[in-house]
Structures are given as C-alpha cells and as structure tokens.
Amino acid sequence: MNINADFSQRVVVHSQQQPWVASPMPGVDRRPLDRVGDEVARATTIVRYAPSSEFSPHVHTGGEEFIVLEGVFQDQHGDFPAGSYVRNPPQSSHKPSSDEGCIIFVKLWQFNPDDRQHVNVPARVDSTLVSNEFMPPAIGNVCKELYRDEFEVVSVYELAPNSVLELGAAKGLEALVLDGEFHERSDTLEKHSWLRLPIGSSLHGRAGKKGARMWIKTEHLPFVDEQIARVKNT
C-alpha cells in the first residue's frame, strides 16, 4: 500500500476531512497521512482509540514515535494524557489501550535502527504541548525542542497571531497543526492538518488570527529509502 509515497513532492493532508479507516483491531481506526507497506509499513498516521479499546501486545521492530492529541493513551508503562510525546525505539514492545478513548499522531519505522533510547516528554500545565485551551504568545514564536540526534530534530512551535515562521528544510520538513491555523502557500492548515516538504525546501508561513501551535520535524527525509528497504526486508 502506497499513500503519499513520492517523497520528492510537497504534500498537504487535511486529516479531519478524511474518513476513518478500520484497523485489524476492533475500536481502533486510522487516518493515513503517508504509508509505504501493508500492516508492516513506514507510516505516518492519525489513530483513534474508542473508549475501552486496545491493541494486541506487539514489538516495534522499526520504532514508534507518537504525540497524544486528545484523551489519554495507555500501556503497561503508564498513562499518557493529551500533550504527551513518546518515542519507543526499535525492538521495544508494549500493549496499547485507552480506557476513555484517545487520538494520537504516530510514526512507525522511521528510526535509526541502532537507536535504543526511550523518550517520554510528559504533558504539563506549563508545557507548550499541553492540549488545554491554546494561549499563543503575544508576539513572535516560542520553540520547545522535544528531541534531537544526528538524524532528526523534533520541536513544538507556538506562534503569535498573524506571526511569520520561516524555517530551512534542506533535509525535508513535516508539520502537524496542533491548534489554531497556519497559512503556507495557498493552503490553510487547520487543527490536525499535516504538511510534508521535500528535501531542498524551505517553510514560509503565517499563523492565523488566533495563532498556531505546531509539531515540526526536520532533517529526516534523507533516510527514507533506508527505512523503506528495512520494511521490505522484514
């Protein structure tokens, strides 16, 4: 299965306009953003867990990265409320579930295969991630870096109303709008809209009149072919 699999192209997906697609597990539905592969895939997805739903225990051979958008995600390691950012490295395992239901943004098979570092950035009242009512900065923008290594940089940006954000994307860029609006080229990205810019790009955009909060990843697209090859060899 290939979805938005040409990584040389700019892609915008307004996920809230997309239908939910049932997964193999009852009560767990998905909105694919990009995907190369079938059930084992290099994939970027928004996943919805119905209340009291769960996924079978499994190993993340290629690693899993997610941010909780709504509700509370759970596994044997604890509860992860909206705003939590988690990285489960290759060869880690868990049994995900949600008592109250949740929505997460998740990326699979996009790690350095030698990475073994678990990362858990919890949602906090003073965090730029927390998904209570969004209060943008008065001017400019605020950046909170969540993770950095030689392969990628992951951050959350909060933008003041009508403020401009310009970022280099020489090695690609992905952005998910967590709150507010962001205008990029002729597109208006609303809550849970997703943007991917190819290698050799740059981001030039402007927040809407209520500001914007965005999850942004850079530096990572040169490794796409290696990741896809590992999926195909699994």
Side-chain angles (χ1 to χ4, degrees):
M1 180 187 297
N2 289 346
I3 298 172
N4 293 323
D6 183 349
F7 291 87
S8 68
Q9 299 297 309
R10 176 182 179 272
V11 177
V12 171
V13 179
H14 301 291
S15 72
Q16 298 210 81
Q17 300 175 18
Q18 305 299 310
W20 290 105
V21 179
S23 81
M25 302 304 293
V28 181
D29 300 319
R30 303 183 287 203
R31 285 172 168 160
L33 304 177
D34 69 16
R35 190 176 190 91
V36 180
D38 296 317
E39 271 311 302
V40 176
R42 185 206 183 277
T44 305
T45 313
I46 292 179
V47 179
R48 180 181 65 183
Y49 285 75
S52 301
S53 61
E54 62 182 19
F55 225 91
S56 301
H58 55 271
V59 175
H60 282 293
T61 308
E64 173 196 55
E65 169 190 20
F66 66 88
I67 182 168
V68 183
L69 304 178
E70 298 177 12
V72 179
F73 176 91
Q74 295 161 306
D75 63 17
Q76 70 270 30
H77 304 295
D79 294 353
F80 302 92
S84 302
Y85 173 73
V86 177
R87 295 175 66 92
N88 293 320
Q91 307 307 323
S92 61
S93 63
H94 70 159
K95 184 179 185 298
S97 64
S98 182
D99 290 340
E100 70 173 59
C102 69
I103 297 176
I104 65 173
F105 169 75
V106 60
K107 297 177 73 65
L108 300 174
W109 279 91
Q110 296 175 46
F111 278 58
N112 169 15
D114 297 324
D115 188 347
R116 294 296 182 269
Q117 180 182 358
H118 286 269
V119 175
N120 175 14
V121 180
R124 299 187 304 272
V125 172
D126 63 345
S127 170
T128 59
L129 287 182
V130 71
S131 294
N132 295 328
E133 184 176 353
F134 172 50
M135 298 294 292
I139 58 173
N141 64 70
V142 175
C143 174
K144 175 171 182 172
E145 191 172 286
L146 303 177
Y147 181 80
R148 174 187 290 266
D149 64 16
E150 61 186 300
F151 302 98
E152 61 185 2
V153 180
V154 184
S155 306
V156 165
Y157 283 79
E158 289 193 334
L159 311 180
N162 301 309
S163 64
V164 172
L165 180 64
E166 297 184 348
L167 296 174
K171 296 182 179 180
L173 180 148
E174 288 182 52
L176 179 76
V177 177
L178 303 175
D179 288 287
E181 288 185 353
F182 186 73
H183 305 280
E184 210 272 338
R185 297 193 187 182
S186 60
D187 291 297
T188 297
L189 281 68
E190 301 175 328
K191 186 174 182 179
H192 299 176
S193 292
W194 175 76
L195 166 71
R196 190 183 71 209
L197 299 180
I199 290 171
S201 301
S202 58
L203 178 73
H204 300 276
R206 177 178 56 83
K209 62 182 180 180
K210 295 184 179 180
R213 179 166 53 194
M214 303 170 66
W215 175 99
I216 293 179
K217 177 183 288 228
T218 60
E219 309 299 311
H220 60 304
L221 288 187
F223 308 103
V224 166
D225 289 344
E226 297 172 23
Q227 294 161 355
I228 292 172
R230 287 194 290 270
V231 168
K232 291 179 178 179
N233 290 329
T234 298

